[in-house]
Every structure is written in C-alpha cells, then in structure tokens.
Amino acid sequence: MTGTQRTSEGLDPRRRRVLIRSWRRGMREMDLLLGGFADDRIADLTDAELDDFEALMEAPDGDLLDWFTGKVDVPETYDTQVYRDIFAFHARKADQTH
C-alpha cells in the first residue's frame, strides 16, 4: 500500500484534511499506521474522536513510532480510545495476514 485507498468523496472538509494529513506524515511507518486507520474509519469517527485523532497527529513521528511499537509507554495525554483503536485495528490486520 503506497497511499490512501479511499476517496475523500462524501467527506466534510475537516475529514478530508485529516485523511490527507494522515497519509503525509513524513515517516512512511506513520503514513501506513495513521493513514490505513483513517482510510477505514474516517467517515465514522465522532467529532470527539476526530479531535483525539488530530491531537495524536500533532505528536512527532518518532514518538508515535515508539508508542505503537511498545518501545516507550504512550503518555496518558495520548492514551485515548482512538489510540487504542488504531493499535487494535493494525493488530487485527496483522493477525489476518498470519
């Protein structure tokens, strides 16, 4: 997967921006983690969940990678349901490929 697999058609402007930002992180691993989740869930996130997703995207890529790989515990501020949903989303995908 090299980029979004989803069209932004039907999304409101905020969700379109978030979808694009999630795929243009600067670190390929974060593109895949955040962008893959956004492709699947962006249309269904509540406004509060979207707030949490946007806040998570403000964190530096290196920190995010450390949190998602378990190298460092995720700080309480970022340990939201959305963070846990992203983690679970990719864990399920990994299980499906094995």
Side-chain angles (χ1 to χ4, degrees):
M1 181 183 309
T2 59
T4 186
Q5 301 297 306
R6 181 193 203 294
T7 177
S8 63
E9 186 176 328
L11 295 177
D12 61 69
R14 181 182 182 197
R15 283 175 171 71
R16 286 180 183 173
R17 281 191 305 275
V18 170
L19 180 63
I20 291 167
R21 281 185 61 213
S22 68
W23 278 106
R24 296 191 177 141
R25 298 288 309 166
M27 182 184 280
R28 192 68 188 136
E29 294 85 352
M30 289 302 94
D31 290 352
L32 295 170
L33 284 169
L34 298 179
F37 176 79
D39 275 359
D40 191 67
R41 296 277 314 277
I42 195 70
D44 300 324
L45 294 177
T46 66
D47 286 340
E49 290 169 330
L50 202 53
D51 290 343
D52 288 343
F53 191 57
E54 287 176 310
L56 191 61
M57 288 196 304
E58 293 299 320
D61 284 346
D63 291 348
L64 287 167
L65 185 60
D66 286 347
W67 303 337
F68 280 112
T69 60
K71 184 176 180 181
V72 176
D73 289 339
V74 62
E76 188 175 317
T77 305
Y78 294 101
D79 191 12
T80 63
Q81 186 59 51
V82 170
Y83 170 83
R84 292 186 294 276
D85 288 348
I86 295 167
F87 193 90
F89 172 78
H90 288 289
R92 282 190 304 274
K93 284 183 68 174
D95 286 345
Q96 292 171 356
T97 61
H98 289 88

